[in-house]
PDB file of all heavy atoms in Angstrom:
ATOM      1  N   GLY A  11       1.830   9.700   3.021  1.00 90.00           N
ATOM      2  CA  GLY A  11       1.117  10.696   2.296  1.00 90.00           C
ATOM      3  C   GLY A  11       0.364  11.711   3.138  1.00 90.00           C
ATOM      4  O   GLY A  11       0.674  11.959   4.287  1.00 90.00           O
ATOM      5  N   GLU A  12      -0.637  12.284   2.506  1.00 94.00           N
ATOM      6  CA  GLU A  12      -1.545  13.195   3.191  1.00 94.00           C
ATOM      7  C   GLU A  12      -2.882  12.476   3.390  1.00 94.00           C
ATOM      8  O   GLU A  12      -3.625  12.280   2.421  1.00 94.00           O
ATOM      9  CB  GLU A  12      -1.731  14.482   2.391  1.00 94.00           C
ATOM     10  CG  GLU A  12      -2.787  15.419   2.936  1.00 94.00           C
ATOM     11  CD  GLU A  12      -2.678  15.643   4.438  1.00 94.00           C
ATOM     12  OE1 GLU A  12      -1.582  16.059   4.904  1.00 94.00           O
ATOM     13  OE2 GLU A  12      -3.662  15.393   5.162  1.00 94.00           O
ATOM     14  N   PRO A  13      -3.188  12.065   4.632  1.00 95.00           N
ATOM     15  CA  PRO A  13      -4.398  11.258   4.856  1.00 95.00           C
ATOM     16  C   PRO A  13      -5.691  11.955   4.458  1.00 95.00           C
ATOM     17  O   PRO A  13      -6.668  11.291   4.092  1.00 95.00           O
ATOM     18  CB  PRO A  13      -4.355  10.974   6.362  1.00 95.00           C
ATOM     19  CG  PRO A  13      -3.454  12.016   6.931  1.00 95.00           C
ATOM     20  CD  PRO A  13      -2.453  12.299   5.869  1.00 95.00           C
ATOM     21  N   LEU A  14      -5.723  13.307   4.491  1.00 96.00           N
ATOM     22  CA  LEU A  14      -6.942  14.015   4.139  1.00 96.00           C
ATOM     23  C   LEU A  14      -7.250  13.931   2.645  1.00 96.00           C
ATOM     24  O   LEU A  14      -8.346  14.318   2.206  1.00 96.00           O
ATOM     25  CB  LEU A  14      -6.850  15.480   4.572  1.00 96.00           C
ATOM     26  CG  LEU A  14      -6.863  15.719   6.082  1.00 96.00           C
ATOM     27  CD1 LEU A  14      -6.616  17.184   6.394  1.00 96.00           C
ATOM     28  CD2 LEU A  14      -8.162  15.243   6.703  1.00 96.00           C
ATOM     29  N   MET A  15      -6.343  13.380   1.848  1.00 95.00           N
ATOM     30  CA  MET A  15      -6.605  13.167   0.433  1.00 95.00           C
ATOM     31  C   MET A  15      -7.311  11.842   0.183  1.00 95.00           C
ATOM     32  O   MET A  15      -7.736  11.574  -0.945  1.00 95.00           O
ATOM     33  CB  MET A  15      -5.297  13.248  -0.372  1.00 95.00           C
ATOM     34  CG  MET A  15      -4.663  14.623  -0.373  1.00 95.00           C
ATOM     35  SD  MET A  15      -3.260  14.768  -1.492  1.00 95.00           S
ATOM     36  CE  MET A  15      -4.070  14.754  -3.106  1.00 95.00           C
ATOM     37  N   ARG A  16      -7.431  11.005   1.218  1.00 95.00           N
ATOM     38  CA  ARG A  16      -8.179   9.761   1.069  1.00 95.00           C
ATOM     39  C   ARG A  16      -9.661  10.065   1.277  1.00 95.00           C
ATOM     40  O   ARG A  16     -10.067  10.561   2.339  1.00 95.00           O
ATOM     41  CB  ARG A  16      -7.682   8.708   2.045  1.00 95.00           C
ATOM     42  CG  ARG A  16      -8.490   7.433   1.958  1.00 95.00           C
ATOM     43  CD  ARG A  16      -7.818   6.222   2.530  1.00 95.00           C
ATOM     44  NE  ARG A  16      -8.738   5.096   2.475  1.00 95.00           N
ATOM     45  CZ  ARG A  16      -8.393   3.826   2.350  1.00 95.00           C
ATOM     46  NH1 ARG A  16      -7.109   3.511   2.272  1.00 95.00           N
ATOM     47  NH2 ARG A  16      -9.307   2.878   2.308  1.00 95.00           N
ATOM     48  N   THR A  17     -10.492   9.739   0.295  1.00 95.00           N
ATOM     49  CA  THR A  17     -11.884  10.183   0.297  1.00 95.00           C
ATOM     50  C   THR A  17     -12.725   9.540   1.395  1.00 95.00           C
ATOM     51  O   THR A  17     -13.722  10.137   1.821  1.00 95.00           O
ATOM     52  CB  THR A  17     -12.538   9.903  -1.065  1.00 95.00           C
ATOM     53  OG1 THR A  17     -12.426   8.500  -1.371  1.00 95.00           O
ATOM     54  CG2 THR A  17     -11.845  10.709  -2.166  1.00 95.00           C
ATOM     55  N   ASP A  18     -12.346   8.351   1.855  1.00 97.00           N
ATOM     56  CA  ASP A  18     -13.122   7.688   2.902  1.00 97.00           C
ATOM     57  C   ASP A  18     -12.441   7.751   4.267  1.00 97.00           C
ATOM     58  O   ASP A  18     -12.758   6.967   5.164  1.00 97.00           O
ATOM     59  CB  ASP A  18     -13.431   6.237   2.528  1.00 97.00           C
ATOM     60  CG  ASP A  18     -12.172   5.404   2.287  1.00 97.00           C
ATOM     61  OD1 ASP A  18     -11.056   5.919   2.508  1.00 97.00           O
ATOM     62  OD2 ASP A  18     -12.297   4.232   1.870  1.00 97.00           O
ATOM     63  N   LEU A  19     -11.525   8.699   4.436  1.00 98.00           N
ATOM     64  CA  LEU A  19     -10.796   8.808   5.707  1.00 98.00           C
ATOM     65  C   LEU A  19     -11.745   8.948   6.892  1.00 98.00           C
ATOM     66  O   LEU A  19     -11.577   8.273   7.920  1.00 98.00           O
ATOM     67  CB  LEU A  19      -9.839  10.004   5.670  1.00 98.00           C
ATOM     68  CG  LEU A  19      -9.185  10.335   7.028  1.00 98.00           C
ATOM     69  CD1 LEU A  19      -8.163   9.275   7.399  1.00 98.00           C
ATOM     70  CD2 LEU A  19      -8.543  11.720   7.011  1.00 98.00           C
ATOM     71  N   PHE A  20     -12.733   9.814   6.769  1.00 98.00           N
ATOM     72  CA  PHE A  20     -13.601  10.074   7.912  1.00 98.00           C
ATOM     73  C   PHE A  20     -14.511   8.884   8.218  1.00 98.00           C
ATOM     74  O   PHE A  20     -14.871   8.672   9.382  1.00 98.00           O
ATOM     75  CB  PHE A  20     -14.397  11.355   7.683  1.00 98.00           C
ATOM     76  CG  PHE A  20     -13.531  12.587   7.713  1.00 98.00           C
ATOM     77  CD1 PHE A  20     -13.133  13.194   6.529  1.00 98.00           C
ATOM     78  CD2 PHE A  20     -13.083  13.104   8.917  1.00 98.00           C
ATOM     79  CE1 PHE A  20     -12.315  14.313   6.552  1.00 98.00           C
ATOM     80  CE2 PHE A  20     -12.263  14.226   8.946  1.00 98.00           C
ATOM     81  CZ  PHE A  20     -11.866  14.828   7.765  1.00 98.00           C
ATOM     82  N   GLU A  21     -14.850   8.101   7.210  1.00 98.00           N
ATOM     83  CA  GLU A  21     -15.584   6.862   7.464  1.00 98.00           C
ATOM     84  C   GLU A  21     -14.725   5.886   8.259  1.00 98.00           C
ATOM     85  O   GLU A  21     -15.197   5.242   9.211  1.00 98.00           O
ATOM     86  CB  GLU A  21     -16.018   6.221   6.142  1.00 98.00           C
ATOM     87  CG  GLU A  21     -17.113   6.941   5.396  1.00 98.00           C
ATOM     88  CD  GLU A  21     -17.473   6.242   4.100  1.00 98.00           C
ATOM     89  OE1 GLU A  21     -18.160   5.204   4.157  1.00 98.00           O
ATOM     90  OE2 GLU A  21     -17.046   6.721   3.030  1.00 98.00           O
ATOM     91  N   LEU A  22     -13.457   5.775   7.889  1.00 98.00           N
ATOM     92  CA  LEU A  22     -12.545   4.883   8.603  1.00 98.00           C
ATOM     93  C   LEU A  22     -12.337   5.355  10.042  1.00 98.00           C
ATOM     94  O   LEU A  22     -12.360   4.554  10.979  1.00 98.00           O
ATOM     95  CB  LEU A  22     -11.203   4.813   7.872  1.00 98.00           C
ATOM     96  CG  LEU A  22     -11.196   4.061   6.549  1.00 98.00           C
ATOM     97  CD1 LEU A  22      -9.916   4.346   5.773  1.00 98.00           C
ATOM     98  CD2 LEU A  22     -11.340   2.554   6.775  1.00 98.00           C
ATOM     99  N   ALA A  23     -12.132   6.657  10.213  1.00 98.00           N
ATOM    100  CA  ALA A  23     -11.892   7.193  11.559  1.00 98.00           C
ATOM    101  C   ALA A  23     -13.126   7.029  12.440  1.00 98.00           C
ATOM    102  O   ALA A  23     -13.019   6.669  13.615  1.00 98.00           O
ATOM    103  CB  ALA A  23     -11.481   8.656  11.471  1.00 98.00           C
ATOM    104  N   ALA A  24     -14.301   7.301  11.883  1.00 98.00           N
ATOM    105  CA  ALA A  24     -15.533   7.142  12.660  1.00 98.00           C
ATOM    106  C   ALA A  24     -15.734   5.685  13.046  1.00 98.00           C
ATOM    107  O   ALA A  24     -16.192   5.385  14.164  1.00 98.00           O
ATOM    108  CB  ALA A  24     -16.726   7.652  11.855  1.00 98.00           C
ATOM    109  N   TYR A  25     -15.383   4.788  12.145  1.00 98.00           N
ATOM    110  CA  TYR A  25     -15.499   3.359  12.455  1.00 98.00           C
ATOM    111  C   TYR A  25     -14.539   2.989  13.585  1.00 98.00           C
ATOM    112  O   TYR A  25     -14.889   2.217  14.489  1.00 98.00           O
ATOM    113  CB  TYR A  25     -15.209   2.526  11.206  1.00 98.00           C
ATOM    114  CG  TYR A  25     -15.517   1.057  11.376  1.00 98.00           C
ATOM    115  CD1 TYR A  25     -16.827   0.595  11.358  1.00 98.00           C
ATOM    116  CD2 TYR A  25     -14.496   0.126  11.563  1.00 98.00           C
ATOM    117  CE1 TYR A  25     -17.118  -0.759  11.522  1.00 98.00           C
ATOM    118  CE2 TYR A  25     -14.766  -1.220  11.727  1.00 98.00           C
ATOM    119  CZ  TYR A  25     -16.086  -1.654  11.704  1.00 98.00           C
ATOM    120  OH  TYR A  25     -16.372  -2.996  11.876  1.00 98.00           O
ATOM    121  N   ALA A  26     -13.336   3.545  13.539  1.00 98.00           N
ATOM    122  CA  ALA A  26     -12.366   3.287  14.607  1.00 98.00           C
ATOM    123  C   ALA A  26     -12.907   3.770  15.955  1.00 98.00           C
ATOM    124  O   ALA A  26     -12.772   3.074  16.973  1.00 98.00           O
ATOM    125  CB  ALA A  26     -11.037   3.974  14.294  1.00 98.00           C
ATOM    126  N   VAL A  27     -13.508   4.947  15.968  1.00 98.00           N
ATOM    127  CA  VAL A  27     -14.100   5.473  17.202  1.00 98.00           C
ATOM    128  C   VAL A  27     -15.187   4.531  17.708  1.00 98.00           C
ATOM    129  O   VAL A  27     -15.282   4.241  18.907  1.00 98.00           O
ATOM    130  CB  VAL A  27     -14.666   6.889  16.977  1.00 98.00           C
ATOM    131  CG1 VAL A  27     -15.459   7.355  18.194  1.00 98.00           C
ATOM    132  CG2 VAL A  27     -13.540   7.881  16.684  1.00 98.00           C
ATOM    133  N   SER A  28     -16.021   4.035  16.788  1.00 98.00           N
ATOM    134  CA  SER A  28     -17.123   3.146  17.190  1.00 98.00           C
ATOM    135  C   SER A  28     -16.617   1.844  17.793  1.00 98.00           C
ATOM    136  O   SER A  28     -17.349   1.184  18.540  1.00 98.00           O
ATOM    137  CB  SER A  28     -18.022   2.843  15.981  1.00 98.00           C
ATOM    138  OG  SER A  28     -17.419   1.910  15.089  1.00 98.00           O
ATOM    139  N   LYS A  29     -15.387   1.474  17.469  1.00 97.00           N
ATOM    140  CA  LYS A  29     -14.793   0.251  18.000  1.00 97.00           C
ATOM    141  C   LYS A  29     -13.939   0.504  19.244  1.00 97.00           C
ATOM    142  O   LYS A  29     -13.259  -0.404  19.737  1.00 97.00           O
ATOM    143  CB  LYS A  29     -13.938  -0.435  16.920  1.00 97.00           C
ATOM    144  CG  LYS A  29     -14.747  -0.932  15.729  1.00 97.00           C
ATOM    145  CD  LYS A  29     -15.734  -2.012  16.138  1.00 97.00           C
ATOM    146  CE  LYS A  29     -16.586  -2.503  14.988  1.00 97.00           C
ATOM    147  NZ  LYS A  29     -17.501  -3.592  15.386  1.00 97.00           N
ATOM    148  N   GLY A  30     -13.952   1.738  19.735  1.00 97.00           N
ATOM    149  CA  GLY A  30     -13.238   2.048  20.960  1.00 97.00           C
ATOM    150  C   GLY A  30     -11.794   2.448  20.775  1.00 97.00           C
ATOM    151  O   GLY A  30     -11.060   2.603  21.767  1.00 97.00           O
ATOM    152  N   LEU A  31     -11.344   2.656  19.537  1.00 97.00           N
ATOM    153  CA  LEU A  31      -9.974   3.095  19.291  1.00 97.00           C
ATOM    154  C   LEU A  31      -9.866   4.613  19.400  1.00 97.00           C
ATOM    155  O   LEU A  31     -10.849   5.336  19.245  1.00 97.00           O
ATOM    156  CB  LEU A  31      -9.511   2.646  17.904  1.00 97.00           C
ATOM    157  CG  LEU A  31      -9.299   1.147  17.718  1.00 97.00           C
ATOM    158  CD1 LEU A  31      -8.957   0.832  16.264  1.00 97.00           C
ATOM    159  CD2 LEU A  31      -8.186   0.631  18.627  1.00 97.00           C
ATOM    160  N   ARG A  32      -8.669   5.088  19.673  1.00 96.00           N
ATOM    161  CA  ARG A  32      -8.395   6.513  19.804  1.00 96.00           C
ATOM    162  C   ARG A  32      -7.674   6.980  18.539  1.00 96.00           C
ATOM    163  O   ARG A  32      -6.480   6.771  18.387  1.00 96.00           O
ATOM    164  CB  ARG A  32      -7.544   6.777  21.048  1.00 96.00           C
ATOM    165  CG  ARG A  32      -8.186   6.274  22.327  1.00 96.00           C
ATOM    166  CD  ARG A  32      -7.201   6.127  23.485  1.00 96.00           C
ATOM    167  NE  ARG A  32      -6.774   7.400  24.011  1.00 96.00           N
ATOM    168  CZ  ARG A  32      -5.520   7.796  24.083  1.00 96.00           C
ATOM    169  NH1 ARG A  32      -4.545   7.021  23.623  1.00 96.00           N
ATOM    170  NH2 ARG A  32      -5.202   8.952  24.613  1.00 96.00           N
ATOM    171  N   PRO A  33      -8.397   7.619  17.590  1.00 97.00           N
ATOM    172  CA  PRO A  33      -7.769   8.017  16.328  1.00 97.00           C
ATOM    173  C   PRO A  33      -6.976   9.313  16.452  1.00 97.00           C
ATOM    174  O   PRO A  33      -7.404  10.275  17.091  1.00 97.00           O
ATOM    175  CB  PRO A  33      -8.964   8.194  15.388  1.00 97.00           C
ATOM    176  CG  PRO A  33     -10.084   8.604  16.287  1.00 97.00           C
ATOM    177  CD  PRO A  33      -9.838   7.907  17.608  1.00 97.00           C
ATOM    178  N   VAL A  34      -5.818   9.332  15.808  1.00 98.00           N
ATOM    179  CA  VAL A  34      -4.939  10.502  15.752  1.00 98.00           C
ATOM    180  C   VAL A  34      -4.699  10.808  14.281  1.00 98.00           C
ATOM    181  O   VAL A  34      -4.603   9.899  13.449  1.00 98.00           O
ATOM    182  CB  VAL A  34      -3.608  10.215  16.472  1.00 98.00           C
ATOM    183  CG1 VAL A  34      -2.645  11.388  16.324  1.00 98.00           C
ATOM    184  CG2 VAL A  34      -3.849   9.901  17.945  1.00 98.00           C
ATOM    185  N   LEU A  35      -4.599  12.079  13.942  1.00 98.00           N
ATOM    186  CA  LEU A  35      -4.382  12.511  12.560  1.00 98.00           C
ATOM    187  C   LEU A  35      -2.996  13.123  12.423  1.00 98.00           C
ATOM    188  O   LEU A  35      -2.621  14.019  13.181  1.00 98.00           O
ATOM    189  CB  LEU A  35      -5.442  13.540  12.157  1.00 98.00           C
ATOM    190  CG  LEU A  35      -5.375  14.079  10.727  1.00 98.00           C
ATOM    191  CD1 LEU A  35      -5.639  12.977   9.710  1.00 98.00           C
ATOM    192  CD2 LEU A  35      -6.376  15.228  10.545  1.00 98.00           C
ATOM    193  N   SER A  36      -2.237  12.632  11.442  1.00 96.00           N
ATOM    194  CA  SER A  36      -0.938  13.212  11.110  1.00 96.00           C
ATOM    195  C   SER A  36      -1.046  13.818   9.719  1.00 96.00           C
ATOM    196  O   SER A  36      -1.205  13.105   8.724  1.00 96.00           O
ATOM    197  CB  SER A  36       0.156  12.140  11.145  1.00 96.00           C
ATOM    198  OG  SER A  36       1.413  12.684  10.801  1.00 96.00           O
ATOM    199  N   THR A  37      -0.962  15.141   9.635  1.00 96.00           N
ATOM    200  CA  THR A  37      -1.294  15.857   8.402  1.00 96.00           C
ATOM    201  C   THR A  37      -0.333  17.017   8.164  1.00 96.00           C
ATOM    202  O   THR A  37       0.311  17.504   9.100  1.00 96.00           O
ATOM    203  CB  THR A  37      -2.746  16.389   8.494  1.00 96.00           C
ATOM    204  OG1 THR A  37      -3.033  17.223   7.371  1.00 96.00           O
ATOM    205  CG2 THR A  37      -2.963  17.208   9.773  1.00 96.00           C
ATOM    206  N   ASN A  38      -0.258  17.459   6.909  1.00 93.00           N
ATOM    207  CA  ASN A  38       0.529  18.666   6.639  1.00 93.00           C
ATOM    208  C   ASN A  38      -0.279  19.933   6.885  1.00 93.00           C
ATOM    209  O   ASN A  38       0.261  21.036   6.825  1.00 93.00           O
ATOM    210  CB  ASN A  38       1.118  18.649   5.226  1.00 93.00           C
ATOM    211  CG  ASN A  38       0.078  18.608   4.117  1.00 93.00           C
ATOM    212  OD1 ASN A  38      -0.904  19.351   4.139  1.00 93.00           O
ATOM    213  ND2 ASN A  38       0.305  17.758   3.118  1.00 93.00           N
ATOM    214  N   GLY A  39      -1.571  19.785   7.146  1.00 94.00           N
ATOM    215  CA  GLY A  39      -2.396  20.909   7.573  1.00 94.00           C
ATOM    216  C   GLY A  39      -2.877  21.842   6.483  1.00 94.00           C
ATOM    217  O   GLY A  39      -3.742  22.688   6.729  1.00 94.00           O
ATOM    218  N   THR A  40      -2.353  21.704   5.275  1.00 93.00           N
ATOM    219  CA  THR A  40      -2.649  22.688   4.235  1.00 93.00           C
ATOM    220  C   THR A  40      -4.074  22.572   3.687  1.00 93.00           C
ATOM    221  O   THR A  40      -4.556  23.502   3.026  1.00 93.00           O
ATOM    222  CB  THR A  40      -1.666  22.558   3.062  1.00 93.00           C
ATOM    223  OG1 THR A  40      -1.782  21.244   2.488  1.00 93.00           O
ATOM    224  CG2 THR A  40      -0.232  22.784   3.536  1.00 93.00           C
ATOM    225  N   LEU A  41      -4.745  21.460   3.952  1.00 96.00           N
ATOM    226  CA  LEU A  41      -6.107  21.246   3.447  1.00 96.00           C
ATOM    227  C   LEU A  41      -7.172  21.513   4.506  1.00 96.00           C
ATOM    228  O   LEU A  41      -8.358  21.298   4.259  1.00 96.00           O
ATOM    229  CB  LEU A  41      -6.245  19.810   2.921  1.00 96.00           C
ATOM    230  CG  LEU A  41      -5.273  19.395   1.816  1.00 96.00           C
ATOM    231  CD1 LEU A  41      -5.476  17.929   1.445  1.00 96.00           C
ATOM    232  CD2 LEU A  41      -5.424  20.285   0.585  1.00 96.00           C
ATOM    233  N   ILE A  42      -6.750  21.976   5.687  1.00 97.00           N
ATOM    234  CA  ILE A  42      -7.695  22.153   6.798  1.00 97.00           C
ATOM    235  C   ILE A  42      -8.279  23.560   6.772  1.00 97.00           C
ATOM    236  O   ILE A  42      -7.738  24.500   7.356  1.00 97.00           O
ATOM    237  CB  ILE A  42      -7.024  21.863   8.154  1.00 97.00           C
ATOM    238  CG1 ILE A  42      -6.424  20.451   8.158  1.00 97.00           C
ATOM    239  CG2 ILE A  42      -8.041  22.008   9.283  1.00 97.00           C
ATOM    240  CD1 ILE A  42      -5.709  20.082   9.440  1.00 97.00           C
ATOM    241  N   ASP A  43      -9.397  23.693   6.052  1.00 97.00           N
ATOM    242  CA  ASP A  43     -10.152  24.947   6.125  1.00 97.00           C
ATOM    243  C   ASP A  43     -11.119  24.852   7.309  1.00 97.00           C
ATOM    244  O   ASP A  43     -11.067  23.887   8.087  1.00 97.00           O
ATOM    245  CB  ASP A  43     -10.885  25.232   4.815  1.00 97.00           C
ATOM    246  CG  ASP A  43     -11.831  24.108   4.390  1.00 97.00           C
ATOM    247  OD1 ASP A  43     -12.179  23.252   5.238  1.00 97.00           O
ATOM    248  OD2 ASP A  43     -12.229  24.081   3.207  1.00 97.00           O
ATOM    249  N   GLU A  44     -11.996  25.814   7.475  1.00 97.00           N
ATOM    250  CA  GLU A  44     -12.887  25.822   8.640  1.00 97.00           C
ATOM    251  C   GLU A  44     -13.790  24.601   8.673  1.00 97.00           C
ATOM    252  O   GLU A  44     -13.992  23.989   9.724  1.00 97.00           O
ATOM    253  CB  GLU A  44     -13.722  27.111   8.628  1.00 97.00           C
ATOM    254  CG  GLU A  44     -12.895  28.373   8.857  1.00 97.00           C
ATOM    255  CD  GLU A  44     -13.727  29.633   8.764  1.00 97.00           C
ATOM    256  OE1 GLU A  44     -14.965  29.515   8.581  1.00 97.00           O
ATOM    257  OE2 GLU A  44     -13.156  30.734   8.874  1.00 97.00           O
ATOM    258  N   ARG A  45     -14.347  24.232   7.522  1.00 97.00           N
ATOM    259  CA  ARG A  45     -15.240  23.063   7.469  1.00 97.00           C
ATOM    260  C   ARG A  45     -14.474  21.780   7.771  1.00 97.00           C
ATOM    261  O   ARG A  45     -14.979  20.894   8.467  1.00 97.00           O
ATOM    262  CB  ARG A  45     -15.903  22.972   6.094  1.00 97.00           C
ATOM    263  CG  ARG A  45     -16.937  24.056   5.820  1.00 97.00           C
ATOM    264  CD  ARG A  45     -17.591  23.857   4.469  1.00 97.00           C
ATOM    265  NE  ARG A  45     -18.303  22.570   4.408  1.00 97.00           N
ATOM    266  CZ  ARG A  45     -18.816  22.065   3.290  1.00 97.00           C
ATOM    267  NH1 ARG A  45     -18.695  22.722   2.137  1.00 97.00           N
ATOM    268  NH2 ARG A  45     -19.450  20.915   3.310  1.00 97.00           N
ATOM    269  N   MET A  46     -13.259  21.666   7.243  1.00 98.00           N
ATOM    270  CA  MET A  46     -12.461  20.468   7.483  1.00 98.00           C
ATOM    271  C   MET A  46     -12.093  20.358   8.962  1.00 98.00           C
ATOM    272  O   MET A  46     -12.128  19.262   9.545  1.00 98.00           O
ATOM    273  CB  MET A  46     -11.197  20.496   6.622  1.00 98.00           C
ATOM    274  CG  MET A  46     -10.345  19.239   6.735  1.00 98.00           C
ATOM    275  SD  MET A  46     -11.119  17.789   5.985  1.00 98.00           S
ATOM    276  CE  MET A  46     -10.787  18.113   4.241  1.00 98.00           C
ATOM    277  N   ALA A  47     -11.737  21.460   9.582  1.00 98.00           N
ATOM    278  CA  ALA A  47     -11.402  21.438  11.008  1.00 98.00           C
ATOM    279  C   ALA A  47     -12.582  20.955  11.838  1.00 98.00           C
ATOM    280  O   ALA A  47     -12.421  20.137  12.760  1.00 98.00           O
ATOM    281  CB  ALA A  47     -10.962  22.833  11.459  1.00 98.00           C
TER     282      ALA A  47
END
């Protein structure tokens, strides 16, 4: 799917960062406005 449609995506990604993981985003890009970027 489109991961940016998951409402808690950024909570999950931030948690991954806190655990030392390197998060990568695979997206169709159509939802990335300035604030999202």
Side-chain angles (χ1 to χ4, degrees):
E12 173 47 56
L14 291 174
M15 294 188 72
R16 177 161 176 150
T17 57
D18 59 5
L19 171 71
F20 291 101
E21 289 180 76
L22 289 166
Y25 189 76
V27 172
S28 75
K29 295 296 178 178
L31 291 175
R32 303 162 72 237
V34 176
L35 181 65
S36 179
T37 173
N38 61 46
T40 61
L41 302 177
I42 304 179
D43 57 17
E44 293 177 3
R45 290 183 61 189
M46 184 70 78

